[in-house]
Every structure is written in structure tokens, then in C-alpha cells.
Amino acid sequence: MRYIFITISNFAVLVFLLTQSRAQSFSNPFYTKLYTANDGLPDSYILNTYQDKRNYLWVGAYRGLSLFDGKNFHNYSFSNGMPDLYINNVIEDDEQLIWVSSRKGIGYIKNKTYYLNVQNDSMQVNYVFSFFVNPDKRFFALTSNGLY
């Protein structure tokens, strides 16, 4: 008799959990879709994403940078002047320049063209892990040589 009670109570818990998960799946307001290299990404290995002020999605991948406009991917690579395709970080500044860090430094995109940012000092900036702009609009980069 005790075995039947445990089985019935386990069944009741299972039914409860199934009805709760089913109710939650219908209340999910988010639409999800999986995009891969077959859909236009330069690579399926994604390192970071950034949504700019125009609501475009920038995707930094192992083999390039993509701009997703909601329908299509527009890829940036060596042919656009990028010195490296391993994209570590993407941010946007107040002038709507898209800043990109890679293993070969920092650059920015303006009017769909990539420009390498050249420093005017003796410190060679190579591998850039991450960067940010503080509230005073100062640019900081975490590099293989330290904080720049």
C-alpha cells in the first residue's frame, strides 16, 4: 500500500511539473532563432555581441565581424582592411563609431569602412582583450601589455 502511495504522489508531482513548464513555454515572449555560418556569419564560434544605437547587432567571431540588420549579415574581413579576424570586443562611442578590438590592435568602422587606430606613442598595442569608454569619454584598453 505504501508503494502505491509513493507512486501516486510521484505521478502527481510529475503532472504538476509538466503543466507548469507547459504554461511557462506558452508565456515566453521571446522569439529565438539559431544562426550559424550557413546563414551568413563568418564563423559559428561567436566571441561577443553588441547592439548599437541603431539597434543593429554586431557579432564578433573567430573568423571575422558581422553586422546583422535583422535580415542579413554583412561581414567584415581582410578585404575591408581588418588586420585580424579574431574579434575580441565591439563597442560604440558617442559619435557612432564602432570600435573593434582584435589580436592585432584596435580599429573603428565608419561608413562601412574599417580604419586601424594608430597610437602616437612608443607603446606597441597588440593583443587587445577588451576596452571601454568611461563617463569622461576616456578610452581604456586591456591589452597584452597592460591597461592602455
Side-chain angles (χ1 to χ4, degrees):
M1 184 72 165
R2 182 170 185 190
Y3 177 74
I4 294 173
F5 176 73
I6 292 173
T7 305
I8 291 173
S9 65
N10 288 345
F11 178 74
V13 169
L14 179 63
V15 168
F16 175 77
L17 291 175
L18 287 174
T19 58
Q20 291 303 311
S21 66
R22 185 174 171 96
Q24 287 176 357
S25 69
F26 287 121
S27 66
N28 186 359
F30 298 106
Y31 171 77
T32 57
K33 180 171 176 19
L34 176 66
Y35 292 97
T36 66
N38 293 333
D39 299 302
L41 283 168
D43 195 284
S44 293
Y45 186 70
I46 304 303
L47 299 168
N48 59 71
T49 58
Y50 179 81
Q51 185 175 3
D52 69 17
K53 293 173 185 160
R54 298 174 299 167
N55 289 323
Y56 292 151
L57 182 66
W58 293 87
V59 181
Y62 184 72
R63 293 188 182 143
L65 176 69
S66 279
L67 168 64
F68 183 62
D69 62 11
K71 294 183 181 180
N72 299 307
F73 289 98
H74 306 279
N75 295 325
Y76 291 83
S77 63
F78 292 126
S79 62
N80 300 97
M82 297 188 73
D84 188 53
L85 299 182
Y86 190 95
I87 307 302
N88 291 320
N89 201 4
V90 179
I91 63 171
E92 181 179 21
D93 67 11
D94 289 341
E95 298 173 14
Q96 293 187 338
L97 295 177
I98 302 297
W99 290 88
V100 180
S101 71
S102 71
R103 294 180 293 189
K104 299 226 174 141
I106 299 172
Y108 62 92
I109 295 175
K110 181 178 181 180
N111 299 326
K112 299 184 179 180
T113 303
Y114 179 87
Y115 299 92
L116 184 62
N117 187 45
V118 179
Q119 291 77 32
N120 293 327
D121 59 18
S122 62
M123 184 176 168
Q124 172 114 12
V125 176
N126 286 329
Y127 199 106
V128 180
F129 299 104
S130 184
F131 52 73
F132 66 95
V133 179
N134 75 357
D136 297 330
K137 301 196 179 6
R138 292 184 64 197
F139 193 91
F140 292 89
L142 180 59
T143 73
S144 56
N145 296 340
L147 186 63
Y148 187 72

